[in-house]
């Protein structure tokens, strides 16, 4: 296994933090809706599907750009890398159950299926938490020593392509919200200057409006 001065990989844990919180919050929001309006059902269903799309893209980027080079360049760690990579199959099964739950809840206009959808979100979160823990403790440190910074950054760019059209500011707001000042400054430093300007002038306002609609506050 070739080693090098570790590259910067802190963004992985930051992205994971968003996923760690998003599905738990979504389950709570669905359970809170005892008699939701059609508009509320549509909004929350769209919200959940957006997060699922981003998670799918995140895992797709790893399947294409993370596991192959790690397996090739770190053969002594191949069994561990493959075990963590294979966890994506279990996560995918949990994602499918959430997708089915969303479809049922949406079709019933919120009159049935809410508890089943919330349960599927809790299940996905449990499966995902275990996977993310393994990835952060076993895979990310390895990647930091065998991937180049360009390869790592390419994976992030690939992931961003999965964000639904028109939802970039919403996704960015979800990402930045729980961060410390230091981590927030780091993530902002990684985006191009024009994007940073758009975030400050338009994006933050869009996110705050969306957040109020999401949480009803």
């Amino acid at each position: 296994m070739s080693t090098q001065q570790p590259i910067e990989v802190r963004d992985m844990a930051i992205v994971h933090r968003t996923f760690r919180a998003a599905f738990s919050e979504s389950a709570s929001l669905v359970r809170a809706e005892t008699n939701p309006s059609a508009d509320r059902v549509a909004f929350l269903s769209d919200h959940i599907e957006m997060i699922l799309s981003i998670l799918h893209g995140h895992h797709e980027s790893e399947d294409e750009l993370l596991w192959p080079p790690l397996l090739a360049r770190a053969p002594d760690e191949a069994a561990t890398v493959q075990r963590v990579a294979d966890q994506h199959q279990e996560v995918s099964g949990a994602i499918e159950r959430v997708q089915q739950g969303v479809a049922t809840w949406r079709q019933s206009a919120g009159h049935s299926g809410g508890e089943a959808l919330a349960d599927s979100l809790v299940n996905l979160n449990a499966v995902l938490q275990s996977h993310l823990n393994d990835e952060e403790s076993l895979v990310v440190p390895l990647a930091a020593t065998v991937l180049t910074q360009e390869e790592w950054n390419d994976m992030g760019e690939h992931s961003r392509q999965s964000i639904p059209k028109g939802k970039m500011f919403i996704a960015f707001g979800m990402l930045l919200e729980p961060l410390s000042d230091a981590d927030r400054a780091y993530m902002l430093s990684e985006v191009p200057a024009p994007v940073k300007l758009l975030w400050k002038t338009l994006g933050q306002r869009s996110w705050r409006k969306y957040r109020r609609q999401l949480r009803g506050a």
Side-chain angles (χ1 to χ4, degrees):
M1 179 180 71
S2 62
T3 60
Q4 59 188 23
Q5 184 69 23
I7 62 172
E8 180 58 80
V9 293
R10 65 194 284 192
D11 56 324
M12 181 69 84
I14 290 173
V15 170
H16 283 179
R17 193 178 309 176
T18 301
F19 293 132
R20 289 177 185 278
F23 294 113
S24 176
E25 179 181 43
S26 294
S28 297
L29 290 171
V30 170
R31 282 205 170 101
E33 298 296 336
T34 56
N35 187 28
S37 67
D39 286 346
R40 182 63 174 169
V41 171
F43 177 84
L44 285 179
S45 296
D46 289 346
H47 176 72
I48 294 166
E49 288 178 342
M50 175 188 69
I51 305 168
L52 292 176
S53 177
I54 296 171
L55 176 60
H56 174 75
H58 178 73
H59 280 177
E60 185 179 71
S61 73
E62 293 175 343
D63 291 341
E64 295 184 14
L65 301 175
L66 180 61
W67 312 126
L70 290 186
L71 291 169
R73 299 175 198 174
D76 292 345
E77 302 294 334
T80 296
V81 171
Q82 191 62 60
R83 177 174 66 82
V84 179
D86 288 345
Q87 292 170 354
H88 279 190
Q89 297 177 18
E90 185 179 5
V91 175
S92 293
I95 288 174
E96 289 179 6
R97 288 191 287 276
V98 173
Q99 290 171 327
Q100 293 166 0
V102 169
T104 298
W105 197 54
R106 191 193 288 272
Q107 289 169 5
S108 75
H111 297 301
S112 64
E115 279 301 315
L117 171 56
D119 288 345
S120 71
L121 286 162
V122 170
N123 174 69
L124 171 57
N125 202 38
V127 172
L128 190 61
Q129 297 282 359
S130 178
H131 169 64
L132 298 183
N133 289 342
D134 283 348
E135 196 169 271
E136 290 172 16
S137 64
L138 301 173
V139 173
V140 174
L142 178 64
T145 64
V146 300
L147 266 62
T148 67
Q149 193 69 59
E150 182 179 6
E151 288 172 326
W152 183 264
N153 294 345
D154 285 346
M155 189 169 59
E157 179 58 33
H158 188 286
S159 296
R160 284 189 286 276
Q161 301 306 313
S162 67
I163 298 174
K165 186 176 180 181
K167 297 294 186 179
M168 182 65 71
F169 288 143
I170 305 307
F172 201 43
M174 291 175 63
L175 179 74
L176 294 180
E177 183 180 43
L179 301 185
S180 66
D181 290 343
D183 281 343
R184 188 176 296 110
Y186 169 72
M187 293 304 290
L188 284 169
S189 74
E190 292 296 294
V191 302
V195 176
K196 190 184 305 184
L197 179 61
L198 283 173
W199 168 249
K200 290 181 177 179
T201 57
L202 298 174
Q204 291 185 84
R205 189 187 317 152
S206 296
W207 162 239
R208 286 193 292 265
K209 179 180 178 181
Y210 185 90
R211 184 176 59 190
R212 288 193 298 270
Q213 188 173 1
L214 177 67
R215 297 169 184 160

